[in-house]
Amino acid sequence: MLRYFDQLGKRKRAQATNLWNEPADDTHMERDDDRELYNLLQKRARLRRGSEGYRRLSFDISAHRHIRREVKDRWRQILEVLGFSAEADGLLDITSTASYSSLRQPLQARQLLTALAEQTSLFDHHCSLPERYLFVLDRLLVLDAGDDFLSAARHYYPLEAEEGPPSEEEPPSQEAVLVTLSPAPQGEEEEEAAVMDEESLLVKLIE
């Protein structure tokens, strides 16, 4: 029994590290980006730790995770602006137990997700929309904060922010202040050491 709960804890930490964009998909095969990351993890789990091939795969895995972590950090910053500093971790914690049948306002959440993709720079526009944030928006709608989140995202992460840095005549944007004040993520090497064994376990569990 203790081993069972230990495995569940490790799997949850691995999910928090990989930030699967389709959390309800235990196979990680439905989305191209999740499948690519999962296949990299599978390949690395079969290599000797510290080998050249292992290090190359670790670099690719870190790049995938970095993109996902950046998106999550932007969401956290908006939540903090709206006064949800204490609740941010809970609101952003989406695991494989998430199910679409549990959504309270799925249509409104989907509309907000689409609006955020079209009107803000919260997401990496080279990838399809991360479904995990549909669940976050549903929680915000229950708290009557969905429209406030969209308005704040438009303000701090407008689409034009991706076109280039502001001119010298423009005052520093509040977005820059948010990014500066955001706590830096832990070093990638520390993160890798913490979840290597968990990823191997995840591969075995899914297989």
Side-chain angles (χ1 to χ4, degrees), residues 1-193:
M1 183 64 70
L2 290 176
R3 183 179 179 183
Y4 170 76
F5 284 111
D6 180 62
Q7 289 178 343
L8 285 181
K10 288 180 177 179
R11 185 173 183 179
K12 184 175 181 179
R13 288 193 294 273
Q15 290 172 351
T17 300
N18 294 316
L19 296 173
W20 302 109
N21 286 324
E22 178 51 271
D25 173 28
D26 284 334
T27 67
H28 311 305
M29 293 290 109
E30 293 182 6
R31 289 176 57 104
D32 292 341
D33 49 3
D34 279 355
R35 182 169 59 252
E36 184 177 356
L37 174 56
Y38 176 69
N39 287 337
L40 289 172
L41 291 170
Q42 275 193 313
K43 291 178 183 178
R44 191 180 70 170
R46 294 180 171 87
L47 295 178
R48 180 176 59 83
R49 186 178 300 178
S51 65
E52 182 179 353
Y54 189 98
R55 291 195 300 270
R56 285 200 303 266
L57 288 173
S58 293
F59 180 84
D60 294 336
I61 290 168
S62 295
H64 278 272
R65 289 173 171 170
H66 179 71
I67 292 172
R68 297 166 187 236
R69 191 167 54 239
E70 277 191 332
V71 174
K72 184 178 180 180
D73 286 346
R74 293 169 195 158
W75 279 70
R76 181 187 301 279
Q77 290 162 2
I78 298 298
L79 290 173
E80 290 174 353
V81 167
L82 295 178
F84 291 106
S85 297
E87 298 83 3
D89 286 337
L91 290 169
L92 293 170
D93 183 25
I94 308 297
T95 67
S96 59
T97 60
S99 65
Y100 289 98
S101 60
S102 68
L103 294 173
R104 303 280 295 277
Q105 302 184 49
L107 294 179
Q108 296 90 327
R110 178 69 64 186
Q111 290 171 354
L112 275 177
L113 187 64
T114 301
L116 286 167
E118 294 175 348
Q119 303 172 27
T120 77
S121 58
L122 274 180
F123 298 113
D124 176 13
H125 291 288
H126 299 292
C127 302
S128 55
L129 287 178
E131 287 290 295
R132 68 181 300 109
Y133 293 104
L134 184 71
F135 296 91
V136 179
L137 289 171
D138 186 69
R139 295 172 179 177
L140 290 174
L141 285 168
V142 172
L143 297 173
D144 197 26
D147 291 337
D148 291 338
F149 187 92
L150 176 59
S151 296
R154 286 171 177 160
H155 178 72
Y156 291 108
Y157 292 98
L159 282 178
E160 57 265 28
E162 292 188 337
E163 297 177 358
S167 63
E168 295 182 358
E169 298 179 357
E170 297 179 358
S173 67
Q174 294 190 46
E175 175 189 349
V177 175
L178 284 176
V179 173
T180 302
L181 296 179
S182 176
Q186 294 181 346
E188 196 67 43
E189 294 182 0
E190 296 179 3
E191 179 180 288
E192 287 294 330

